[in-house]
Amino acid sequence: MYNECMNIKDYMTIKEAAELLGVDKTTLRRWDKAGKLTPYRHPLNRYRLYKKEELEQLLRGIRHE
């Protein structure tokens, strides 16, 4: 799922994303499998990355529930 125009600054690692959302990394992996989040892969090391914009949108949704 790597895009040639990918700007790494627009993405967060799984650890950063978990801290932002206040959940465990395992929860994020589960959400990936369930289709709630779209993980992207770092072009060099293939680690999971999440778009900051998508995480912020998810966080706003959680706060409004």
Side-chain angles (χ1 to χ4, degrees):
M1 288 188 223
Y2 170 66
N3 181 344
E4 293 282 333
C5 300
M6 181 181 208
N7 185 351
I8 295 298
K9 294 177 187 174
D10 294 333
Y11 294 81
M12 298 180 90
T13 64
I14 192 168
K15 180 181 178 184
E16 294 167 334
E19 289 174 1
L20 175 72
L21 297 174
V23 299
D24 192 79
K25 293 184 285 186
T26 306
T27 301
L28 291 180
R29 290 184 187 102
R30 222 178 1 246
W31 288 355
D32 293 350
K33 288 182 182 179
K36 292 182 181 182
L37 285 177
T38 303
Y40 298 86
R41 296 291 178 169
H42 189 284
L44 299 177
N45 59 24
R46 304 289 297 148
Y47 290 167
R48 285 175 208 254
L49 296 173
Y50 297 93
K51 283 187 178 179
K52 287 181 185 178
E53 182 179 315
E54 289 178 17
L55 295 171
E56 290 166 356
Q57 189 175 37
L58 178 63
L59 190 57
R60 284 191 297 271
I62 291 170
R63 288 183 178 160
H64 285 97
E65 290 181 357

